[in-house]
Amino acid sequence: GKTPPCVNAIIKAGIKTVVIANQDPNPIVAGKGIQQLRKAGIEVITEVLADEAQQLNPGFFKRMKTNKPFVRCKIAMSLDGKTAMASGESQWITGDHARQDVQRLRAQSTAIITGVNTILADNPQFSVRKNLLSFADPDIDIDLVCNNQPLRVILDSKARLPLTSRLVQIPNPIAWITADKNNKIDKMPEHVTHLQLPSKTGNIDLEQLMNWLGEQAHNDVLVEAGPTLSGSFLDKQLIDELTVYVAPKILGHAGMPMIKLAIAQLNQSIPLTKTKQISIGNDWKLQFSLQKSGFS
């Protein structure tokens, strides 16, 4: 609403032909600009590299199509598929370059989802850090991103989030999601918003959470969580893209698995399509799309 329609400027400039990759998926404006251009006698060619163009902004297209955000899930693991030691120790499995790349994932997200167990174990900030982001992507407007931090969404069914955690102490916005009512919110600072989203099983309803984030106009969401919560998102088919950072380390059989998900038979496995495989520092970055996601 801050920028006037570009259609008027195109007509005024006397442009003869306009090539469009995608019609705007927003039903409020879809097709109106094209009609106006053609009415002005301008040739309009549409659907040119449409699929490729959608991949430039998948969050917006998915939200317009499903009213839910595009969900990326990030996991860092050892070569033998462990995300932490049996004690819960996990900092740091991957190297500096991989952790800097995670900052880029955070920077392109409007919300970061994690579980309270991750907060209790690691006491993270879950913010975009200026000193790391400058190395991750020199083309990012660092000041703009750091001044508009992602919403930190904490899934905490039993309201165990400590008021003294670093995440709460940093005055960036937080959505605190619980399954039950509680009085702890009265003690939380103003930047913490409480939302109660119980499921039939007494946990947090992830489908309702996605609907709420869509209603709040969140296009791109990043899940940075432990194996149980990541497994729940996979089980509910709520993940569109999975990014796995693999470190050349062996943590042993007692370590925590990459995903906790009850799969009894091979035909119940979740199919993935590899979209990227690169070396990043001393680690590897693997990226997959999920064939059963709501967008793919």
Side-chain angles (χ1 to χ4, degrees):
K2 297 181 180 179
T3 306
C6 56
V7 168
N8 296 335
I10 290 172
I11 295 173
K12 185 177 180 180
I15 292 172
K16 302 299 182 183
T17 303
V18 174
V19 180
I20 298 173
N22 299 106
Q23 180 174 297
D24 193 330
N26 188 337
I28 297 176
V29 299
K32 294 181 180 179
I34 294 175
Q35 293 176 6
Q36 192 173 346
L37 290 173
R38 285 174 172 160
K39 188 176 181 180
I42 296 173
E43 179 188 18
V44 180
I45 303 171
T46 62
E47 302 302 312
V48 176
L49 299 176
D51 291 341
E52 290 84 350
Q54 283 195 29
Q55 296 310 312
L56 296 175
N57 196 1
F60 178 71
F61 279 92
K62 184 187 175 185
R63 186 169 66 84
M64 290 297 105
K65 178 181 177 182
T66 68
N67 297 318
K68 296 178 181 179
F70 187 90
V71 180
R72 296 178 175 89
C73 180
K74 162 260 171 184
I75 296 174
M77 71 175 192
S78 63
L79 192 59
D80 55 342
K82 306 301 180 182
T83 58
M85 302 301 294
S87 63
E89 180 187 359
S90 63
Q91 296 179 329
W92 300 97
I93 292 177
T94 54
D96 292 342
H97 290 85
R99 295 199 297 275
Q100 291 165 7
D101 193 67
V102 172
Q103 293 294 313
R104 184 186 58 78
L105 288 178
R106 290 181 181 180
Q108 70 183 94
S109 306
T110 58
I112 300 172
I113 300 175
T114 194
V116 70
N117 286 334
T118 298
I119 306 302
L120 296 174
D122 299 333
N123 197 21
Q125 300 180 42
F126 281 116
S127 57
V128 178
R129 302 183 193 179
K130 189 172 184 177
N131 61 322
L132 293 179
L133 190 59
S134 59
F135 293 100
D137 193 333
D139 296 326
I140 290 178
D141 188 332
I142 297 174
D143 290 331
L144 176 64
V145 171
C146 292
N147 291 332
N148 294 274
Q149 290 283 339
L151 174 69
R152 297 167 296 169
V153 182
I154 313 303
L155 307 191
D156 182 15
S157 58
K158 297 181 181 179
R160 295 183 292 150
L161 179 64
L163 278 70
T164 56
S165 63
R166 288 200 301 166
L167 182 134
V168 173
Q169 296 301 313
I170 296 174
N172 297 327
I174 293 174
W176 183 37
I177 317 297
T178 67
D180 301 319
K181 292 181 179 179
N182 64 85
N183 297 322
K184 203 173 183 178
I185 188 62
D186 296 333
K187 301 178 182 179
M188 289 287 181
E190 292 184 357
H191 64 275
V192 178
T193 300
H194 177 243
L195 195 64
Q196 183 184 351
L197 295 175
S199 68
K200 294 180 180 179
T201 61
N203 296 315
I204 292 170
D205 191 318
L206 298 182
E207 288 277 0
Q208 286 192 56
L209 175 63
M210 293 298 102
N211 291 333
W212 179 77
L213 288 170
E215 291 169 358
Q216 301 300 310
H218 287 279
N219 291 335
D220 298 274
V221 170
L222 178 64
V223 176
E224 286 194 65
T228 300
L229 184 55
S230 296
S232 295
F233 272 90
L234 278 170
D235 185 49
K236 298 290 185 182
Q237 300 181 16
L238 295 175
I239 293 177
D240 299 289
E241 184 177 280
L242 177 64
T243 298
V244 182
Y245 297 93
V246 183
K249 297 176 181 178
I250 303 293
L251 299 189
H253 73 279
M256 295 179 64
M258 168 183 162
I259 292 290
K260 289 185 178 180
L261 188 61
I263 296 178
Q265 299 177 352
L266 187 60
N267 61 9
Q268 296 174 331
S269 61
I270 299 174
L272 307 174
T273 300
K274 185 174 65 177
T275 57
K276 182 180 291 186
Q277 176 180 322
I278 61 172
S279 175
I280 181 164
N282 197 40
D283 306 310
W284 297 277
K285 177 182 179 180
L286 306 176
Q287 190 171 290
F288 306 89
S289 64
L290 276 78
Q291 297 175 8
K292 294 183 179 180
S293 73
F295 180 68
S296 301

